[in-house]
């Protein structure tokens, strides 16, 4: 995985960290960086930061945690690994979550948190340029109206409530994925294909302003 060209961004980040030696740094990456047996990138970062400390006399002692943006009031379920370090060795303490991930209180202590910010909270008052083409395209676009809010292609499998058109878990989670008004948005895709959601509950692609 470190041979993937995208891994070069980690090395570039570390090079800039060593050259500038900021008072503190924050690094954000996909949660998979910390997956067990797939954490070569994480080990590379931690080992290289130790080497930077030896070479430059800094005391970076980074801490990292996988956080969900929705836990802090963002209306989007988005998990990312966040790493923070200070040049003088001060250890960062991650803030406690402020919001639940669901409207229901399912875990001990969740009743003290705010309810989640929802897709409706974020999008209800967002105006859309009528000249922007947001029609869903692709082979399966006509299926969107038949999929309930908050569901994806799994609705049309032998375990869902629709037609058995697809095999169970044979597609990406984002395939024909629709937003639900009463829940945070699913993670917005950086480079979605024609069948990749999240789609608007009005059975169309999200506009540029809505994506923002």
């Amino acid at each position: 995985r470190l041979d993937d060209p995208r891994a070069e961004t980690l090395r570039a980040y570390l090079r800039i960290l060593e050259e500038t030696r900021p008072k503190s740094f924050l690094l954000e990456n996909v949660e998979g960086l910390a997956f067990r047996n797939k954490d070569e990138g994480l080990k590379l970062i931690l080992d290289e930061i130790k080497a930077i400390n030896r070479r430059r006399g800094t005391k970076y002692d980074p801490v990292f945690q996988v956080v969900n943006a929705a836990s802090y009031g963002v209306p989007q379920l988005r998990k990312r690994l966040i790493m923070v370090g200070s040049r003088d060795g001060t250890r960062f303490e991650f803030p406690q979550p402020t919001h639940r991930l669901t409207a229901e209180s399912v875990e001990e202590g969740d009743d003290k948190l705010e309810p989640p910010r929802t897709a409706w909270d974020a999008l209800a008052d967002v105006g859309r340029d009528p000249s922007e083409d947001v029609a869903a395209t692709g082979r399966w676009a006509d299926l969107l109206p038949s999929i309930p809010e908050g569901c994806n292609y799994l609705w049309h499998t032998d375990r869902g409530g629709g037609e058995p058109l697809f095999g169970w878990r044979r597609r990406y989670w984002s395939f024909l994925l629709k937003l639900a008004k009463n829940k945070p948005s699913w993670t917005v895709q950086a480079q979605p294909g024609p069948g990749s959601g999240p789609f608007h509950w009005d059975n169309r692609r999200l506009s540029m302003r809505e994506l923002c």
Side-chain angles (χ1 to χ4, degrees):
R1 282 172 288 273
L2 288 178
D3 292 332
D4 189 315
R6 291 172 295 184
E8 288 302 313
T9 59
L10 294 178
R11 293 187 172 90
Y13 187 99
L14 291 165
R15 175 178 58 79
I16 293 172
L17 178 65
E18 180 165 13
E19 289 178 357
T20 62
R21 298 188 295 284
K23 290 180 66 176
S24 58
F25 73 85
L26 182 149
L27 182 147
E28 174 197 1
N29 214 293
V30 295
E31 62 169 325
L33 194 70
F35 284 170
R36 183 176 298 177
N37 299 323
K38 295 183 179 181
D39 57 354
E40 302 96 328
L42 181 59
K43 291 178 179 177
L44 168 71
I45 294 169
L46 296 175
D47 289 346
E48 185 57 26
I49 288 176
K50 290 179 181 178
I52 291 172
N53 286 338
R54 290 194 297 270
R55 291 193 295 266
R56 300 294 187 175
T58 50
K59 298 179 181 179
Y60 293 116
D61 186 14
V63 294
F64 61 88
Q65 183 174 310
V66 174
V67 301
N68 195 322
S71 296
Y72 299 93
V74 176
Q76 181 183 182
L77 295 165
R78 189 177 186 90
K79 286 185 177 181
R80 287 295 182 268
L81 181 139
I82 303 293
M83 179 181 292
V84 182
S86 298
R87 188 175 60 200
D88 64 1
T90 302
R91 289 180 64 83
F92 177 77
E93 292 187 13
F94 282 87
Q96 293 298 310
T98 57
H99 291 68
R100 301 194 297 272
L101 298 181
T102 65
E104 302 79 22
S105 181
V106 294
E107 296 185 12
E108 184 177 355
D110 278 1
D111 57 337
K112 300 177 182 178
L113 303 178
E114 294 289 327
R117 296 280 319 287
T118 66
W120 177 263
D121 293 333
L123 303 181
D125 61 350
V126 177
R128 184 167 64 85
D129 183 346
S131 66
E132 184 179 2
D133 182 8
V134 292
T137 60
R139 177 181 178 186
W140 304 106
D142 290 343
L143 278 180
L144 277 174
S146 66
I147 297 175
E149 292 184 15
C151 296
N152 62 0
Y153 80 96
L154 292 175
W155 178 256
H156 285 300
T157 66
D158 56 7
R159 301 189 192 185
E163 300 294 327
L165 301 176
F166 307 104
W168 181 256
R169 294 186 176 177
R170 296 296 179 85
R171 302 266 183 157
Y172 289 109
W173 171 257
S174 60
F175 182 57
L176 299 180
L177 180 62
K178 284 174 67 172
L179 296 177
K181 299 185 192 75
N182 62 344
K183 298 179 180 179
S185 167
W186 304 108
T187 302
V188 172
Q189 304 295 303
Q191 295 177 313
S196 299
F199 291 95
H200 197 277
W201 49 78
D202 286 340
N203 305 306
R204 60 171 174 78
R205 293 184 294 112
L206 294 171
S207 70
M208 291 304 296
R209 287 197 67 188
E210 288 168 336
L211 288 169
C212 290

